[in-house]
Amino acid sequence: MQALRKSRPGSGLGLEPVSALPAPAAGEVLMRVENVGICGSDVHAYEWTDGYGFMEPHLPVTMGHEFAGHVVATGPGVEMQPGQRVAVMPGIPCGTCAACRRGEPRGCTNRRTVGLTVDGGFASHVRVPAANCIALPDNVDTEVGALAEPLAVGCEGVLTAGVGLGDTVLVMGPGTIGQALALMARFAGAARVIVSGRADAPRFEVLRALGFCDLVDVAEAPLRDQVLALNNGLPVDAVLEATGIPSTVNEGLSVLRKDGVLVAVGIHASSLTLPLTDFVRMRHQLRASHGAARRTWDRVLALLSRDPEAFRPMITHRLPLERGVEGFELARQRAASKVMLQP
Ligand SMILES: [Zn+2]
Ligand SMILES: [Zn+2]
């Protein structure tokens, strides 16, 4: 089969032949991948920006961690039946470290990640632990099902912020994770969700299709002026950052109320300079969110099942796997929102 692989450190990734996968081992399933999204972090790894060196010892690796498909074969001890449609949680806990033994797999210190350190979904088939598979509800197809991963990341960010009924929330960054944060903030009861971006017309278009109209283009006027104008001159209750640009954290804090929470979700290639006096006097709470708990995935699948079509506008491009590199270029140039590859 063909797979989109990262073979060496440095920029790039390419379609390479790989031999057919062996039968699944105990506790594993062999999956037919039907839809796999190109994620912002895949683009970072493609460009080899700072923060992805952890992949180096694991190369070559088939990338792709946002995928859904169906089970074609199961290893010993797996109860799931062939034909079962599933989405895949990418984090594989080691099962033996202190955190895993305590029953806290998210705290695993020896965690592997499907599509970053072990072979992932940019291929027709992939072997994954059965424990990482979550059954898709009957009315959720594998295209919408492949959005479960970024939606879970957004859901976890909103839970981390503690967004509540009637809150005003600023989401910084209009990409897929920003869209997921905005959707989940709305589900959590936010009365107003403002989304900011910089000259991001294609992704603002997606946000409008998802029902968000309070959009702020910081290329036109300063963020603070626009946010205050939209919110009756008041600061916001929570800021959810998905830009990956450290200085946007300071901009976000400039419109956050006292005791408000800012959650950083973006992956940042450089450091933040934080004016600590203002930070302390405002009693601002800076938190981080990364990945998602199993319980969060269950919440997301329940929401997907309620109205799958409400999420489909997030997908702007569909390409066969053979045109994967083209998909990466579209995502990199921000001409696309979610690019879905269909192996
Ligand atoms: Zn992702
Ligand atoms: Zn562990």
Side-chain angles (χ1 to χ4, degrees), residues 187-200:
F187 282 123
R192 174 175 282 139
V193 179
I194 301 168
V195 186
S196 67
R198 180 181 289 277
D200 256 306

Side-chain angles (χ1 to χ4, degrees), residues 17 27 34 55 67 73 83 118 149 174 214 217 219 272 276 306 334:
E34 294 171 16
M55 290 178 68
F67 57 97
V118 296
E149 197 273 343
D214 290 331
D217 186 347
L272 169 68
L276 275 167
R306 203 177 80 157
R334 302 185 305 169

Side-chain angles (χ1 to χ4, degrees), residues 216-268:
V216 163
D217 186 347
V218 297
E220 289 170 3
L223 177 89
R224 189 180 149 81
D225 296 353
Q226 296 189 72
V227 169
L228 294 181
L230 283 170
N231 199 37
N232 308 316
L234 296 171
V236 303
D237 298 299
V239 177
L240 306 169
E241 176 279 325
T243 62
I245 301 166
S247 60
T248 62
V249 170
N250 299 110
E251 289 178 65
L253 291 173
S254 79
V255 294
L256 181 61
R257 69 162 166 82
K258 274 194 174 178
D259 295 305
V261 177
L262 184 148
V263 178
V265 178
I267 300 294
H268 296 258

Side-chain angles (χ1 to χ4, degrees), residues 37-42 64-66 90 116 149-150 153 176-177 338:
I38 297 177
C39 174
S41 63
D42 294 329
H65 62 270
E66 298 181 358
L116 288 173
E149 197 273 343
V153 168
T176 296
I177 298 298
K338 180 57 70 191

Side-chain angles (χ1 to χ4, degrees), residues 93-104:
C94 73
T96 55
C97 74
C100 283
R101 287 202 309 271
R102 284 200 297 272
E104 294 164 9

